[in-house]
Amino acid sequence: MLESLRTGLQGAIKKLLGTSVVDEAAIKEFVRDLQRALIQADVNVKLVLSVTENVQKRALEEKPLGGMTRKDQIVKILYEELDKMLGGEQGLNLAKGKTNVIVMLGVQGSGKTTTVSKLARFYSKKGFKVGVVAADTFRPGAVTQLRTLAEKIGIDVYSDEKQNDSIKVAEQGKKAFEGTKNLIIIDTAGRHKEEKSLLDEMNSIVSKVKPDVNLLVVDGTIGQQCYNQALAFHKNSPVGGIVITKLDGAAKGGGALAAVAATGAKIAFIGTGERVDDLEEFSSTRFVGRLLGMGDLKSLLEMAKQLESEVDEKRVQRMTSGKLTMDDFLFQFEQVNKMGSLKKILDLVPGLAGNMKTEDLEKAERSMKTWKSIIQSMGKKERESPDTLNAARIKRIAKGSGRSEKEVRELLSRYKQTKTLMKASKGREFRQMLRRAGGQGALGG
Ligand SMILES: Nc1nc2c(ncn2[C@@H]2O[C@H](COP(=O)(O)OP(=O)(O)OP(=O)(O)O)[C@@H](O)[C@H]2O)c(=O)[nH]1
Ligand SMILES: [Mg+2]
């Protein structure tokens, strides 16, 4: 996502970190590199100038905080200014104890229907009972599109193909789900001859349905043009949040984000692909961290410190010398668990973020739980030398843990892989991760 912006910003940082003296000339060159990267991402020129002016002024004037190098300080300033540009902490707050109604708004093809299904999935995973309403009566096939998407993820759909009045469908859908659902998402039509009629329909839906949130969907590929679109909608009737879609591969995505933030509306979510899981709750802090390639260093540092203190060197040596017991294997995973979910970790570890799909990560987390229960039903000897397990023992362990033999064998094969890998790399990666996390000059300078 936003590869070129990321490369541009990281290039500027790398160059700064590589200079021997951070003087005025170096700071100005850094600022020019930033400008280039931001303008290439279609961030509005005025905005670029104001952001980089702040960076330059602060970089020249502010004294590094205790323990920080000058370079760290400048990167931190950039981090803060970009965070501010993208609106700080945002997101959407839905209440669990009531029925929340979201109406989707946005021009044709912006990604409303797709986003409806993504949101339904997102919130149903969080424990909401979700129903979606197909109130796009305009485009043929719109109802089928929503039904197909919703059925795949087991979400109930309200539609009435005989009703041409979208506002009626929206109202009836809301009524139909009230009482049984606590989140109702209403999909609307984006197709209109002109912006005015779209805005008019938006007004009628909003006044009749009285949603808790008007959620505007904008297409991130149009870059800074998002500003006018978001502003037009926002002025017409304040939007409670904006979803910027198609940020996967959108060269102008940075511009889109900055433009939307500049309207004062909240960026609630970003769409990062066509699949139903390609939706992220937006947090500018996290986002900028990833853009700059250093993740949320502060929390990573805190977690890593705790983690490091718990790793005893003896164990590391045993693990890396090729004598890996099942307990060590489990320990390794527990360390990761302790730090939070895998996905969270990967977002925090510089360079790893975004390389893995949520699905894969969830699978890994599920496997971990399974493995744990299997390992716990192994005897002491078996844990120490798992290589000696024969078919009969595998059967017994499977029975004892309530897992299948196949799962036990999978664990054993992963264990063997890990052992080989650990030995081959002499645990380099494992140590490196700890060192990088707990280590010195956090920002690398
Ligand atoms: N790559 C990518 N494609 C997306 C994303 N969101 C939506 N799309 C695609 O954009 C196209 C339009 O999406 P829809 O959800 O049908 O858009 P819409 O706003 O409902 O369109 P109308 O109903 O015609 O107004 C589809 O092909 C989607 O797969 C995204 O985040 N990334
Ligand atoms: Mg649609």
Side-chain angles (χ1 to χ4, degrees):
M1 205 195 343
L2 307 184
E3 274 322 311
S4 65
L5 179 58
R6 194 203 305 247
T7 316
L9 292 174
Q10 289 187 16
I13 291 173
K14 226 182 239 159
K15 201 156 115 194
L16 176 77
L17 297 179
T19 52
S20 46
V21 195
V22 190
D23 52 12
E24 193 173 332
I27 290 174
K28 285 193 167 152
E29 189 170 336
F30 176 60
V31 164
R32 269 195 304 276
D33 288 340
L34 296 178
Q35 289 171 341
R36 210 171 298 127
L38 291 168
I39 285 171
Q40 261 170 17
D42 202 41
V43 179
N44 177 276
V45 175
K46 265 195 212 146
L47 200 55
V48 172
L49 291 178
S50 95
V51 167
T52 53
E53 207 171 277
N54 285 351
V55 172
Q56 177 163 326
K57 190 160 174 281
R58 290 183 57 191
L60 289 171
E61 284 172 6
E62 288 178 18
K63 293 240 157 21
L65 298 166
M68 254 191 176
T69 67
R70 186 97 194 268
K71 291 171 182 174
D72 283 352
Q73 169 82 357
I74 294 172
V75 178
K76 180 177 151 279
I77 290 171
L78 172 63
Y79 184 96
E80 287 166 357
E81 291 298 325
L82 289 178
D83 185 30
K84 206 162 80 192
M85 173 178 93
L86 293 181
E89 280 313 305
Q90 309 200 7
L92 208 60
N93 288 324
L94 298 186
K96 272 223 166 124
K98 58 173 279 207
T99 304
N100 299 273
V101 181
I102 297 179
V103 166
M104 307 301 287
L105 307 157
V107 302
Q108 184 184 1
S110 55
K112 292 178 298 299
T113 307
T114 314
T115 305
V116 167
S117 67
K118 290 178 177 180
L119 288 169
R121 165 87 150 190
F122 180 88
Y123 282 110
S124 68
K125 273 190 180 167
K126 291 201 158 195
F128 282 87
K129 293 195 197 77
V130 187
V132 301
V133 179
D136 178 356
T137 53
F138 202 90
R139 187 163 61 81
V143 176
T144 316
Q145 183 195 4
L146 184 61
R147 278 206 172 276
T148 313
L149 289 168
E151 263 157 30
K152 263 193 229 154
I153 51 173
I155 297 288
D156 291 338
V157 182
Y158 176 89
S159 66
D160 180 357
E161 261 117 318
K162 284 186 231 80
Q163 179 59 266
N164 288 326
D165 183 344
S166 58
I167 295 164
K168 286 230 167 76
V169 179
E171 283 180 302
Q172 283 155 8
K174 181 183 164 191
K175 216 182 262 162
F177 282 137
E178 256 166 358
T180 56
K181 305 288 181 196
N182 51 14
L183 175 58
I184 302 169
I185 309 173
I186 302 174
D187 188 25
T188 62
R191 176 115 172 260
H192 283 266
K193 276 199 230 66
E194 48 179 29
E195 194 181 270
K196 186 170 178 313
S197 63
L198 181 65
L199 294 175
D200 286 347
E201 177 169 290
M202 167 175 162
N203 281 340
S204 347
I205 291 194
V206 168
S207 63
K208 287 272 166 53
V209 177
K210 299 194 180 57
D212 300 278
V213 183
N214 304 329
L215 199 59
L216 175 65
V217 180
V218 295
D219 179 336
T221 59
I222 65 172
Q224 61 175 295
Q225 285 176 40
C226 283
Y227 182 82
N228 288 329
Q229 209 179 86
L231 202 63
F233 276 96
H234 196 49
K235 267 191 183 153
N236 187 56
S237 165
V239 299
I242 297 192
V243 182
I244 304 177
T245 61
K246 309 183 195 179
L247 283 185
D248 47 312
K252 296 179 171 180
L257 283 159
V260 168
T263 63
K266 270 204 258 179
I267 303 173
F269 288 93
I270 53 178
T272 57
E274 290 186 271
R275 300 178 326 164
V276 71
D277 282 316
D278 296 332
L279 181 79
E280 276 180 40
E281 214 167 11
F282 185 71
S283 145
S284 65
T285 315
R286 193 161 26 122
F287 188 81
V288 173
R290 276 194 295 175
L291 263 189
L292 300 189
M294 55 196 178
D296 186 354
L297 275 171
K298 192 165 155 280
S299 38
L300 179 65
L301 266 162
E302 279 163 10
M303 286 194 275
K305 251 189 217 133
Q306 185 199 349
L307 182 129
E308 205 180 29
S309 68
E310 288 171 21
V311 174
D312 66 279
E313 191 55 23
K314 247 196 215 146
R315 191 194 284 271
V316 173
Q317 259 168 22
R318 187 171 66 228
M319 282 163 81
T320 56
S321 68
K323 287 189 207 98
L324 184 74
T325 68
M326 264 302 169
D327 285 321
D328 294 331
F329 183 73
L330 184 61
F331 169 82
Q332 199 192 355
F333 282 109
E334 276 174 348
Q335 292 305 309
V336 176
N337 254 339
K338 210 177 270 168
M339 288 167 72
S341 78
L342 260 180
K343 169 134 176 74
K344 216 162 99 201
I345 301 294
L346 292 187
D347 278 344
L348 295 179
V349 178
L352 275 183
N355 282 346
M356 258 175 121
K357 288 279 176 195
T358 318
E359 258 174 36
D360 297 335
L361 291 165
E362 281 169 3
K363 215 168 106 194
E365 275 171 16
R366 269 201 307 276
S367 307
M368 238 189 263
K369 273 201 197 116
T370 310
W371 293 344
K372 195 166 172 184
S373 67
I374 296 173
I375 294 173
Q376 277 163 348
S377 65
M378 288 181 173
K380 189 165 179 289
K381 283 258 161 60
E382 292 169 340
R383 292 193 204 185
E384 271 162 22
S385 35
D387 292 320
T388 59
L389 290 177
N390 58 19
R393 288 191 173 207
I394 288 175
K395 200 167 182 176
R396 187 197 52 72
I397 292 166
K399 219 169 161 196
S401 59
R403 302 286 174 178
S404 68
E405 285 173 48
K406 185 167 160 263
E407 283 171 317
V408 178
R409 285 183 207 280
E410 262 164 26
L411 164 66
L412 289 174
S413 96
R414 275 304 287 274
Y415 158 79
K416 270 181 202 150
Q417 270 173 19
T418 306
K419 191 168 155 179
T420 316
L421 269 176
M422 277 277 193
K423 202 173 169 186
S425 74
K426 301 216 165 28
R428 217 173 292 125
E429 272 149 50
F430 189 55
R431 284 167 189 274
Q432 212 169 34
M433 183 180 140
L434 296 177
R435 200 172 317 124
R436 180 166 44 198
Q440 346 61 29
L443 303 178

